[in-house]
C-alpha cells in the first residue's frame, strides 16, 4: 500500500448523495466543488496521486481533505 493512501473514507449513502449534488453544481464555489470531488474519489478508493492528477491539484491538497 502506498504511503499516499493513508486513510480510507467510508461515506454513507446520504453523504455520497449530498457530495455528488455539490460536485455537479455549477453555481457553487469551485473550491467546494473540488473538495466534494476529492472526497468522492477517495471514497471510491483512488490513490491520492491519481486524484491530484485528475483534478489538476497538488497532493498536499488531497491529503488535507482526505
Amino acid at each position: 500500500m502506498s504511503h499516499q493512501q493513508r486513510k480510507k473514507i467510508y461515506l454513507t449513502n446520504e453523504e455520497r448523495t449530498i457530495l455528488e449534488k455539490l460536485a455537479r453544481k455549477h453555481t457553487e464555489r469551485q473550491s467546494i466543488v473540488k473538495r466534494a470531488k476529492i472526497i468522492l474519489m477517495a471514497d471510491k478508493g483512488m490513490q491520492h496521486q491519481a486524484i491530484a492528477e485528475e483534478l489538476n491539484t497538488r497532493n498536499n491538497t488531497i491529503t488535507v481533505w482526505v
Side-chain angles (χ1 to χ4, degrees), residues 20-36:
E20 287 169 347
K21 285 179 183 177
L22 274 174
R24 287 191 305 264
K25 272 190 157 182
H26 297 289
T27 57
E28 188 62 63
R29 286 189 357 235
Q30 287 305 300
S31 60
I32 299 296
V33 170
K34 185 177 274 189
R35 291 170 191 166

Side-chain angles (χ1 to χ4, degrees), residues 7-61:
K7 295 183 181 181
K8 175 72 175 122
I9 290 182
Y10 298 98
L11 297 175
T12 65
N13 288 335
E14 181 180 5
E15 291 168 330
R16 193 173 296 108
T17 299
I18 291 166
L19 288 170
E20 287 169 347
K21 285 179 183 177
L22 274 174
R24 287 191 305 264
K25 272 190 157 182
H26 297 289
T27 57
E28 188 62 63
R29 286 189 357 235
Q30 287 305 300
S31 60
I32 299 296
V33 170
K34 185 177 274 189
R35 291 170 191 166
K37 287 179 180 181
I38 289 168
I39 295 167
L40 287 166
M41 290 174 167
D43 179 56
K44 290 180 182 177
M46 288 181 71
Q47 296 287 323
H48 290 194
Q49 182 63 39
I51 297 170
E53 289 172 8
E54 175 107 6
L55 297 177
N56 195 29
T57 192
R58 296 179 325 150
N59 237 4
N60 294 8
T61 303

